[in-house]
Amino acid sequence: TQTVSQSDAHVTVFEGDSVELRCNYSYGGSIYLSWYIQHHGHGLQFLLKYYSGNPVVQGVNGFEAEFSKSDSSFHLRKASVHWSDSAVYFCAVRTNTGKLTFGDGTVLTVKP
Amino acid sequence: DMKVTQMPRYLIKRMGENVLLECGQDMSHETMYWYRQDPGLGLQLIYISYDVDSNSEGDIPKGYRVSRKKREHFSLILDSAKTNQTSVYFCASLSRQAPLFGEGTRLSVL
């Protein structure tokens, strides 16, 4: 069975700062890794995903994530955050059976 | 434009009443999901459907059942709702890119 861990429940940065949101997973087989953003009162919106190939993947709005097999990680990064990036971010793991498991989320607060 | 539609958006029910939450997608996606989201618990998988009449339990199926008679529609049913089923329910369908989520149904069971 797969598990997803997001070690930081809350992250606060200032506008223009860089940010890294951490995600670690455990699963023995092939997986798809993805990140989602959720603004208050809305559903989840897809940011980016990784399955194979280049371990650094680019997503929407300047986000990128890096896969590390040795660390079982898929951390999300952004070089310069904007106040509109304030939201909850979820890391997710999907197996070949289609089962999709989420971490508990990280609340990102961007201060002006 | 690809979209997952959930109805209703808000629902208030009394304990013991039956609840029907509906989800639709017009993209002919085979795989669909139902999740519930509670504060601090992230999203928990209730059921996954691989196609019409091909449904599997997720991590928390107790107290729920599902119905998928057409590929485009996936319903979540609560028979005799309980107060601890108050939550936000999300439906998703699996595109080639990634699962697409609806806007959610906020259910309150009083």
Side-chain angles (χ1 to χ4, degrees):
Chain A
T1 195
Q2 69 264 41
T3 63
V4 184
S5 173
Q6 294 181 245
S7 54
D8 298 314
H10 297 271
V11 171
T12 300
V13 295
F14 288 95
E15 200 165 26
D17 284 351
S18 63
V19 70
E20 178 178 86
L21 305 182
R22 291 180 290 189
C23 174
N24 291 88
Y25 67 91
S26 65
Y27 185 68
S30 299
I31 53 171
Y32 296 79
L33 292 156
S34 54
W35 277 95
Y36 286 81
I37 180 173
Q38 184 181 36
H39 291 284
H40 184 70
H42 291 276
L44 278 71
Q45 291 178 274
F46 171 75
L47 281 179
L48 46 77
K49 75 171 182 182
Y50 172 82
Y51 178 65
S52 64
N54 189 337
V56 178
V57 291
Q58 306 295 323
V60 298
N61 294 335
F63 285 97
E64 68 173 29
E66 183 167 5
F67 168 71
S68 171
K69 187 174 183 179
S70 59
D71 293 338
S72 297
S73 68
F74 189 55
H75 301 329
L76 181 71
R77 302 189 294 245
K78 187 168 183 178
S80 177
V81 294
H82 186 262
W83 64 266
S84 60
D85 293 325
S86 293
V88 184
Y89 291 80
F90 290 97
C91 180
V93 166
R94 179 164 62 90
T95 67
N96 284 335
T97 65
K99 186 177 180 184
L100 180 66
T101 301
F102 288 87
D104 288 341
T106 296
V107 178
L108 176 64
T109 301
V110 180
K111 291 188 172 182
Chain B
D1 198 22
M2 297 192 293
K3 193 174 180 181
V4 175
T5 303
Q6 289 188 240
M7 295 293 290
R9 291 293 314 278
Y10 302 91
L11 189 59
I12 299 175
K13 288 287 192 178
R14 296 192 181 279
M15 190 170 59
E17 289 185 327
N18 298 331
V19 179
L20 173 65
L21 305 183
E22 302 201 82
C23 176
Q25 49 98 359
D26 60 359
M27 301 159 284
S28 203
H29 293 159
E30 295 176 352
T31 302
M32 296 184 73
Y33 309 84
W34 274 108
Y35 288 87
R36 65 177 283 175
Q37 184 179 31
D38 301 293
L41 292 180
L43 281 85
Q44 297 174 276
L45 179 63
I46 306 172
Y47 269 92
I48 180 171
S49 174
Y50 295 103
D51 210 332
V52 171
D53 285 330
S54 180
N55 308 315
S56 291
E57 294 181 344
D59 297 321
I60 54 161
K62 188 177 179 182
Y64 303 95
R65 62 183 174 92
V66 292
S67 175
R68 191 151 180 220
K69 297 302 182 185
K70 292 183 180 181
R71 182 173 281 185
E72 297 76 23
H73 294 112
F74 188 34
S75 301
L76 181 68
I77 302 134
L78 289 67
D79 295 314
S80 188
K82 300 173 180 53
T83 55
N84 62 8
Q85 292 178 306
T86 291
S87 187
V88 181
Y89 291 86
F90 287 100
C91 173
S93 73
L94 182 59
S95 71
R96 292 186 66 181
Q97 175 74 317
L100 296 172
F101 281 80
E103 287 290 288
T105 294
R106 187 175 293 274
L107 172 67
S108 295
V109 182
L110 306 178

